[in-house]
Amino acid sequence: MDTLKAIQVFVCIEKNGSLTKAADQLGYSRAMVSRYLEHLENHFSTRLLHRNTRNISLTSAGEKAILYCQNILQQQQLLKELSVEEQYTGTIRLTCGLFILQNGLAKAIQEFQQKYTHIRFDILITEETLDLVESQIDLAFRITTKVADGLISRPLDRVDSVLCAHADYLATSSEIVHPDQLLQHACITHHSMQNTWSLSTHQQQPQNYPIRIVAQSNDAHALHEMCLNKMGIAMLPKVMVERDLKDETLIPVLNHYEPPQLALSVVYSSRRHLPKKTQEFIAFVMDYLKK
């Protein structure tokens, strides 16, 4: 039997002056309380309580033992409180792109820290797909459709994209009505897209169309800036270019073709031994982004 639980039972019996009352308080049967007491007496090789049908009292050994047992439980409580405090201190190391940080994640971190003031963040800004274990990263926030084997991915939010170009670029370029014509246009693309863009219509499944790349980057803000500088057509997150589309600085192209639907996900290497603070932050961000 569990000796620590037996100590808890013994202290509870002494406090209540009754095995029955102790059983009620602990949610055990009276027989179970008796067995725990017997286990403790066998463990210490001494009788701890005088008991008869009407009352109980400590033996001389029990009077000494109760002080030690109370101290053990106090120390256990202090250790438990220390453990809980430690679970909500320290650093969460994460990686994400600047676009993700600016579109909700930074605010979520700020509000999380108002709740857990002893947790701090170490943020590595990149859209590169880093090895989480090798880079000692707790969490990665990525916009993607898939993750590497062995990693766990939790979807957080949908990310819609749009093909667009500066109005001046389109005014001086040939009209584009079909994705096959992308080879005739200057295209600005993310490293993850490689040499093709996947597009679909309501009538057809996604197809990969080759593109003529004039510039590429691993950062969405860099692609946006190049698009604003009239360098060509780019595939960008809708939320990033909403204002540009509204004032018609940027113009959507190939409206009848849809870019792939991506998801913002939080990625981590293992559920086993995931620190409590990291679990809490994942749950917080998932709830925060639903608002």
Side-chain angles (χ1 to χ4, degrees):
M1 297 184 78
D2 189 327
T3 300
L4 186 57
K5 283 187 178 179
I7 289 173
Q8 292 172 332
V9 168
F10 172 51
V11 170
C12 191
I13 293 170
E14 190 276 334
K15 180 180 178 182
N16 286 278
S18 164
L19 272 70
T20 301
K21 290 179 180 178
D24 290 341
Q25 182 174 325
L26 294 168
Y28 296 155
S29 67
R30 191 182 186 286
M32 179 61 74
V33 167
S34 295
R35 285 200 291 274
Y36 271 122
L37 179 59
E38 182 181 355
H39 168 76
L40 198 62
E41 290 180 327
N42 290 336
H43 183 77
F44 291 132
S45 301
T46 188
R47 193 170 183 82
L48 300 173
L49 291 172
H50 295 301
R51 38 195 191 275
N52 55 40
T53 55
R54 302 188 68 177
N55 54 45
I56 63 170
S57 61
L58 292 169
T59 64
S60 58
E63 290 175 356
K64 295 177 182 178
I66 194 69
L67 298 176
Y68 291 121
C69 289
Q70 289 170 342
N71 186 54
I72 287 170
L73 296 183
Q74 288 171 359
Q75 296 300 317
Q76 183 210 20
Q77 183 60 33
L78 289 173
L79 285 172
K80 186 182 293 185
E81 290 172 0
L82 176 63
S83 176
V84 170
E85 183 179 334
E86 284 295 315
Q87 289 174 354
Y88 294 101
T89 61
T91 301
I92 295 175
R93 183 170 162 80
L94 64 85
T95 181
C96 67
L98 183 59
F99 167 73
I100 295 172
L101 189 70
Q102 292 177 333
N103 285 271
L105 185 57
K107 188 65 176 175
I109 290 172
Q110 180 189 27
E111 293 195 15
F112 183 78
Q113 285 189 310
Q114 289 172 358
K115 184 177 181 181
Y116 299 106
T117 57
H118 296 293
I119 296 176
R120 62 190 183 91
F121 287 81
D122 182 0
I123 305 171
L124 180 59
I125 299 296
T126 179
E127 292 187 17
E128 296 290 350
T129 303
L130 301 177
D131 184 308
L132 302 188
V133 176
E134 183 178 310
S135 302
Q136 298 182 321
I137 301 275
D138 298 309
L139 301 172
F141 289 84
R142 294 175 178 167
I143 297 175
T144 184
T145 55
K146 60 182 179 178
V147 298
D149 293 339
L151 296 179
I152 298 164
S153 177
R154 303 278 297 276
L156 300 173
D157 200 8
R158 194 177 78 178
V159 179
D160 293 321
S161 301
V162 61
L163 285 178
C164 58
H166 194 281
D168 290 350
Y169 168 83
L170 293 174
T172 58
S173 302
S174 59
E175 183 182 9
I176 178 168
V177 296
H178 192 276
D180 285 339
Q181 295 173 282
L182 289 170
L183 281 171
Q184 302 164 24
H185 281 264
C187 295
I188 309 160
T189 189
H190 196 278
H191 284 169
S192 63
M193 297 294 182
Q194 299 180 347
N195 297 312
T196 62
W197 281 340
S198 178
L199 301 170
S200 63
T201 66
H202 295 299
Q203 290 78 32
Q204 71 178 43
Q205 295 296 315
Q207 293 187 34
N208 291 328
Y209 294 94
I211 59 177
R212 183 171 69 88
I213 299 173
V214 297
Q216 59 186 150
S217 175
N218 68 337
D219 181 78
H221 284 283
L223 301 177
H224 183 210
E225 186 64 25
M226 287 187 281
C227 192
L228 288 173
N229 277 282
K230 312 171 188 180
M231 289 181 61
I233 300 171
M235 184 184 294
L236 296 169
K238 277 187 179 179
V239 68
M240 176 179 278
V241 296
E242 280 177 342
R243 183 177 298 177
D244 301 319
L245 295 174
K246 187 175 181 179
D247 65 21
E248 298 185 347
T249 301
L250 297 182
I251 307 296
V253 299
L254 296 173
N255 288 333
H256 298 299
Y257 294 84
E258 296 181 359
Q261 190 175 101
L262 303 176
L264 169 61
S265 300
V266 58
V267 180
Y268 47 99
S269 58
S270 175
R271 283 193 180 93
R272 291 192 63 192
H273 311 304
L274 194 65
K276 187 69 175 177
K277 61 178 177 288
T278 308
Q279 296 178 41
E280 286 287 342
F281 182 62
I282 291 171
F284 183 88
V285 171
M286 292 184 72
D287 184 63
Y288 182 86
L289 292 178
K290 290 178 183 176
K291 296 177 182 178

